[in-house]
Amino acid sequence: MRINLLQAFLKFSFNQTLIHNKVYSTEEFYHRLHVFTQNKRLIDHHNAGNHSFTMGLNQFSDMTFEEFRKFYLLTEPQNCSATEGSHVSSTGPYPKFIDWRMKGNFVTPVKNQGYCGSCWTFSATGCLESVNAIASGKLISLSEQQLIDCARDFNTFGSMVDAVARLNPITFSFDVTADFMHYREGVFSSTHCKSTADSVNHAVLAVGYGAEENGTLYWIVKNSWGTAWGKDGYFLIERGRNMCGLAACSSYPLPLV
């Protein structure tokens, strides 16, 4: 088992160097091997059980969750005051399945935020890009750095199924826990995360929704950790309840008319 883990790590570290330009010193190599081993065992244990999603190795598999949280998640409680709005829902009915990627050229490719806890800028630009594309017919990639430099609280308007079904993709924030770090595919669900607005630590873009054959409802979500993570950079998360606080901080911009 130890040999198999070493072989797996050697393959992993080669890919890290080739794809992510990550090179270990001798001392770092053995430390990362230990961390990788712990994560691999966690992944294998999870996948051997009965869960709605599977885990897998990715570019974060040599990191502890503490390190991951420091580099990739928001470290301060979120201020959701800017998302208080007056969205007026329709009476429905809504389609059973929506994916704005299939409706036209409305969603930009998955981006990679790198070692920067600026996920909110990627979810915000993703939403703005889609709203602009739907309104103008032109999909233009926007600058996350400009938001970092210039952002202030502003008036946006929250909703969820109604907005995604009728209008456009929406941004939401949620509480990322260690199990999400290793997500591979399936409908993510957790009993370890928190569901209050002050506990969310990562912002993403919901581009659609649907349901599994067993009736499990889900959101289709674009992440900002590159295409090597999850399902080509996307993930599914349970819909129909406030999973990990995702309904506490949702918003979308209104196009200028």
Side-chain angles (χ1 to χ4, degrees), residues 117-222:
S118 58
C119 54
W120 67 271
T121 64
F122 288 84
S123 66
T125 55
C127 196
L128 286 167
E129 289 162 351
S130 295
V131 169
N132 180 64
I134 294 166
S136 69
K138 298 179 180 179
L139 182 62
I140 301 172
S141 182
L142 301 177
S143 169
E144 291 76 26
Q145 185 61 50
Q146 190 173 39
L147 280 183
I148 294 173
D149 294 341
C150 305
R152 297 290 186 272
D153 282 355
F154 53 91
N155 291 325
T156 55
F157 300 87
S159 70
M160 292 201 72
V161 169
D162 182 78
V164 174
R166 293 194 301 115
L167 301 176
N168 44 252
I170 64 171
T171 176
F172 71 79
S173 299
F174 69 112
D175 179 32
V176 169
T177 51
D179 48 357
F180 186 75
M181 171 179 163
H182 306 290
Y183 173 90
R184 169 62 59 83
E185 62 182 359
V187 181
F188 179 79
S189 179
S190 176
T191 58
H192 305 297
C193 58
K194 299 177 182 178
S195 60
T196 56
D198 61 353
S199 65
V200 300
N201 57 17
H202 187 51
V204 289
L205 182 72
V207 303
Y209 62 80
E212 297 276 84
E213 291 184 0
N214 63 7
T216 301
L217 305 177
Y218 61 78
W219 293 105
I220 305 169
V221 191
K222 179 185 177 184

Side-chain angles (χ1 to χ4, degrees), residues 82-87 154-159 163 170 250-254:
T83 63
E84 295 176 0
S86 55
H87 172 83
F154 53 91
N155 291 325
T156 55
F157 300 87
S159 70
I170 64 171
S250 60
S251 64
Y252 66 90
L254 295 176

Side-chain angles (χ1 to χ4, degrees), residues 17 24 43 80 110 124 183 257:
T17 302
Y24 307 119
I43 291 168
C80 294
V110 172
Y183 173 90
V257 293

Side-chain angles (χ1 to χ4, degrees), residues 1-11 33 36-37 41:
M1 182 63 177
R2 181 69 179 178
I3 294 176
N4 290 337
L5 282 170
L6 178 58
Q7 291 174 337
F9 181 69
L10 289 173
K11 180 179 180 181
L33 173 59
F36 176 88
T37 299
R41 287 172 175 166

